[in-house]
Amino acid sequence: MYVVTGGEMHQIDRYTMEQIGLSEEMLMENAGQVFKEKILSLIQANEKIIVFIGAGNNGGDGFVISRLLLERGCDVKVWVIPSENRIRGTACKHKDIYKKCGYSFQHWQGKEGLAEKDLSEATLVVDALLGTGIEGPLKEPYGEVISLINSAKKRVISVDIPSGIPNGGDEESRGILASETYTLQAPKLSAFTFPSAENYGQLHVLDIGIPSRSFRKAGIKRELITAHTVKDTLPVRETNSHKGRTGRALVIAGSESMPGAAVLTANACLRAGAGLLSLAIPQSIQAIVASQSTESTFILLENTKGSISLNAFSDAISFNNFHGVAIGPGLGRTNSYPLFKTLQPYSGLVVIDADGLYHLSQELPLWRSKQRQGATIITPHPGEMAMLTGLSVAEVEQNRFEVSKSFAKTYQMYVVLKGPYTIITTPDGYQYVNTTGNASLAKGGSGDVLTGIILGFLLQHRSIQDALCNAVYVHGITADRLMENSDTFSVVATDLIDTLPIVLRSARY
């Protein structure tokens, strides 16, 4: 399922109409039909519905929806905000069809009090005021209407997007605060970018018949990660597999002040399929870590004159003995730079998180150079992404898609930008959006678990992007599964690891 901007959706619509031959009138009718079927499955028999209609194609959808609901005998009151001469094109055609079917509507101008009364009596509001075409600040009376709807605190369903939110989703919004949004054919970027994402409520995607060819021709390089794609891409272990063939992983993590990070990353990696796992940790924390990660083997590091000794990485125990390495969780910054630096020429997979990202920020040009032959995967949260790019956290948050894409293409890395709606970006700029997970993940250790799952999955999958998409999806859906019997306050990172086997099985079958 593709994710698009408003401008891209208009381009897709044009191609569908001009090159494929599906008329705009048909697409608008399709949108109304699928919206009607969805809403009928959710409403009560005595529902009192009020529909607010604007001038553009979003308003045209509103006329189709209103007509179809009235045809089904629903109690519907329709309010049109602009004057009729402002309604043009396909929206005007569907307005005329609506009227020829014998239905009427009220004009907002001069009847604001009556509209407010109808709104107070309604049990459901359908927002068909403004679509993806708005630019700049809201014009009146739309701002007034939106404020009135929000103040009424009714159940609100928006058509395509909540009216009034900025097209890019990265500015302060005066838009509709929807309970649900039924978006047409493809989710819009603003559904995954804050603060506008908060306006959407629960998001549903309705297929209105636009063919996938239209999206391919528009060059769309964003997709949602879905349960279906995860199921199709989870690898199956061969019956003659053995531990040496199912992934030899190295995790470089932990410090005297943060030994738990090493435990979490290692155990998550093993739960995600790694056949053999070695933990490179300071010797001083071995007893603590070994008691909680009994399946790991250990490479012990000593502090020598302020730096971590690399003696453990001799010819007998070299990076090349491993299929993939993760570095950073709980590592600390003070003495670990020399160890981080030795990874740059390694030709295998490298996952960099936490304090490893701090070291990466000090030598980005080296990791961009051709000396780095293996794939590099980074897993920053917005603060770490700000450190890597020199931007503010606010700038990263406002432009998550573009910042991720620019960095991934510039440095030829896979970027997993964490947060609500984690974004995975490949070195060629293709992006995948994850919708699983919840606020229970806002707790120390959750990122360490994700790093472990990512490394474990990378060693099982042939495709890096499939491994990353599956890891992020499974990490989030595990947190969702925990909400069945837990509170968001109470979930801890070890709960994720303990629940992972059940979630993996359900994802597969």
Side-chain angles (χ1 to χ4, degrees), residues 276-345:
L276 291 167
L277 186 136
S278 295
L279 259 174
I281 57 172
Q283 187 172 13
S284 58
I285 66 171
Q286 183 194 13
I288 298 171
V289 175
S291 67
Q292 299 179 66
S293 187
T294 54
E295 295 86 356
S296 300
T297 60
F298 295 92
I299 299 170
L300 302 179
L301 306 174
E302 296 180 0
N303 284 336
T304 305
K305 297 181 179 179
S307 295
I308 292 178
S309 170
L310 306 184
N311 293 336
F313 294 94
S314 62
D315 291 337
I317 307 176
S318 68
F319 286 125
N320 291 328
N321 288 336
F322 303 98
H323 298 128
V325 178
I327 186 169
L331 191 65
R333 299 178 180 180
T334 306
N335 303 323
S336 55
Y337 175 69
L339 179 58
F340 177 84
K341 195 171 178 64
T342 63
L343 267 177
Q344 198 271 333

Side-chain angles (χ1 to χ4, degrees), residues 140-209:
E140 296 301 345
Y142 287 103
E144 181 184 351
V145 176
I146 289 170
S147 294
L148 182 66
I149 294 171
N150 287 343
S151 299
K153 299 189 183 303
K154 302 286 185 176
R155 181 185 180 191
V156 179
I157 298 178
S158 288
V159 181
D160 202 25
I161 70 169
S163 292
I165 65 171
N167 199 19
D170 55 1
E171 305 166 24
E172 288 300 323
S173 170
R174 290 177 57 199
I176 289 285
L177 296 172
S179 311
E180 299 156 71
T181 299
Y182 297 167
T183 200
L184 306 179
Q185 197 65 49
K188 311 308 181 285
L189 212 64
S190 55
F192 311 111
T193 310
F194 288 86
S196 60
E198 295 176 330
N199 289 69
Y200 273 78
Q202 187 174 2
L203 180 68
H204 306 270
V205 182
L206 305 181
D207 185 347
I208 66 170

